[in-house]
């Protein structure tokens, strides 16, 4: 039996993202009217520690018309987690993202995992498979996270963009609910536990930065790097005056 689902729908702007606007339904069927209302941009509210494995895959060159990169990434992820049923997943595809260049995908696997373990294991994955490190967004595993549901358009300052939408290209909508973990098995992380436990805070920050910088112009990247370095130096000087060590 599917557990409850919590969603939020934005009609005018992301400023509507307040807890008072969260709606919890007893089932996906009850939530479907809100989810598929074309006048809304509806998100699943991720607020539990246990979630399905999910990846936000971004900025793949749109000349990759036969999806070679994302299909290779999916297979690598399956091998990494030692998943044998390699056809059991949900994949959405967005070909008109205005937030960044290229193709965007959401991958959801029917295996239960702690959100912190998911983030650290994927940081380790990007370090061990650097060819995919610039495509996986490590910034989507916060304690409370909104994750846009399939068939929902992106919110823009002047309203919804009907072309900026994730369409399901593999799997079923009902399997895209990340916090529906009642009937899915826990992923076995025994072979990855040592690797996960060795992931450091600096490695997490570097992984987040790498995806963010992907496809950024060299000039903008240089300005951003200089700004970050300046902030880090100011922070080190301040912490030194306070006699506090930076770990």
């Amino acid at each position: 039996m599917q557990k409850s689902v919590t969603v939020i729908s934005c009609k005018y702007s992301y400023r509507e993202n307040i807890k008072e606007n969260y709606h919890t339904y007893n089932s996906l069927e009850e939530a479907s009217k809100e989810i598929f209302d074309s006048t809304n941009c509806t998100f699943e509210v991720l607020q539990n520690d246990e979630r399905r494995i999910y990846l936000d895959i971004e900025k793949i060159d749109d000349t990759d018309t036969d999806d070679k990169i994302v299909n290779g990434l999916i297979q690598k992820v399956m091998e990494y987690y030692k998943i044998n049923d390699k056809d059991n997943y949900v994949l959405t595809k967005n070909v008109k993202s205005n937030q960044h260049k290229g193709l965007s995908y959401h991958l959801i696997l029917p295996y239960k995992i702690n959100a912190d373990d998911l983030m650290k294991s994927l940081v380790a994955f990007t370090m061990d498979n650097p060819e995919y490190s610039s495509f996986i967004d490590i910034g989507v595993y916060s304690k409370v996270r909104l994750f846009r549901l399939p068939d929902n358009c992106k919110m823009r300052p002047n309203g919804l963009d009907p072309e900026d939408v994730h369409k399901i290209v593999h799997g079923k909508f009902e399997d895209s609910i990340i916090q529906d973990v009642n009937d899915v098995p826990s992923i076995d992380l025994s072979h990855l536990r040592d690797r996960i436990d060795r992931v450091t805070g600096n490695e997490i920050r570097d992984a987040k930065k790498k995806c963010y910088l992907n496809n950024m112009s060299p000039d903008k990247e240089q300005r951003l790097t200089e700004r970050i370095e300046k902030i880090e130096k100011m922070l080190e000087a301040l912490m030194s005056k306070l006699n506090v060590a930076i770990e």
Side-chain angles (χ1 to χ4, degrees):
M1 179 179 178
Q2 183 178 308
K3 67 182 295 184
S4 61
V5 55
T6 301
V7 301
I8 181 172
S9 296
C10 299
K11 283 185 176 292
Y12 306 107
S13 78
Y14 292 117
R15 289 191 296 274
E16 299 168 84
N17 176 27
I18 55 177
K19 287 189 176 182
E20 287 77 6
N21 289 338
Y22 291 178
H23 302 135
T24 299
Y25 296 92
N26 291 323
S27 68
L28 182 59
E29 184 179 7
E30 285 186 13
S32 61
K33 184 177 180 179
E34 179 173 355
I35 290 172
F36 297 116
D37 183 345
S38 60
T39 66
N40 296 330
C41 177
T42 305
F43 304 83
E44 181 182 3
V45 181
L46 308 181
Q47 52 192 342
N48 300 332
D49 288 337
E50 281 196 330
R51 304 171 184 180
R52 294 187 184 213
I53 295 174
Y54 65 100
L55 284 79
D56 186 10
I57 304 166
E58 301 180 341
K59 305 171 187 172
I60 292 181
D61 190 336
D62 56 13
T63 60
D64 179 40
T65 53
D66 56 359
D67 296 326
K68 283 183 180 179
I69 294 177
V70 74
N71 287 334
L73 173 54
I74 291 170
Q75 292 305 308
K76 276 285 188 180
V77 167
M78 298 283 194
E79 293 169 9
Y80 179 73
Y81 287 113
K82 293 191 175 181
I83 295 172
N84 294 321
D85 186 0
K86 293 183 169 57
D87 194 52
N88 191 7
Y89 62 90
V90 175
L91 183 69
T92 70
K93 182 177 183 179
N94 185 352
V95 300
K96 292 286 187 179
S97 174
N98 284 315
Q99 185 174 351
H100 48 69
K101 297 178 183 177
L103 305 173
S104 176
Y105 300 83
H106 291 164
L107 173 66
I108 301 154
L109 304 174
Y111 294 90
K112 183 166 46 178
I113 190 171
N114 174 276
D116 190 58
D117 279 343
L118 177 56
M119 176 183 63
K120 288 182 178 179
S121 64
L122 286 173
V123 170
F125 175 84
T126 62
M127 294 174 67
D128 297 341
N129 298 273
E131 68 273 27
Y132 297 119
S133 61
S134 59
F135 301 129
I136 298 176
D137 186 355
I138 300 297
V140 298
Y141 304 107
S142 54
K143 187 172 182 180
V144 178
R145 164 66 48 172
L146 304 187
F147 206 75
R148 184 156 49 122
L149 286 161
D151 297 326
N152 277 266
C153 302
K154 188 83 170 182
M155 179 70 67
R156 296 288 165 207
N158 58 347
L160 297 176
D161 182 345
E163 293 190 331
D164 191 337
V165 58
H166 276 266
K167 294 286 188 181
I168 293 178
V169 294
H170 185 94
K172 299 179 293 185
F173 185 94
E174 55 264 34
D175 295 328
S176 71
I177 306 303
I178 293 169
Q179 293 201 156
D180 177 16
V181 296
N182 276 5
D183 298 320
V184 298
S186 296
I187 195 72
D188 182 5
L189 295 175
S190 57
H191 65 291
L192 293 173
R193 179 48 58 193
D194 289 345
R195 184 72 182 90
I196 291 171
D197 290 344
R198 284 188 282 111
V199 172
T200 67
N202 283 336
E203 289 169 340
I204 293 170
R205 286 188 288 273
D206 287 345
K208 290 179 179 180
K209 180 181 175 183
K210 188 159 190 178
C211 185
Y212 178 73
L213 293 177
N214 185 27
N215 280 342
M216 186 179 288
S217 69
D219 181 58
K220 188 174 181 181
E221 180 177 348
Q222 178 63 29
R223 293 199 308 272
L224 179 62
T225 299
E226 290 174 355
R227 181 179 295 180
I228 291 172
E229 289 175 351
K230 185 176 181 179
I231 292 172
E232 287 176 345
K233 287 179 181 178
M234 291 171 61
L235 178 60
E236 288 176 1
L238 176 62
M239 298 299 271
S240 178
K241 285 184 178 180
L242 295 174
N243 197 27
V244 176
I246 301 176
E247 296 182 358

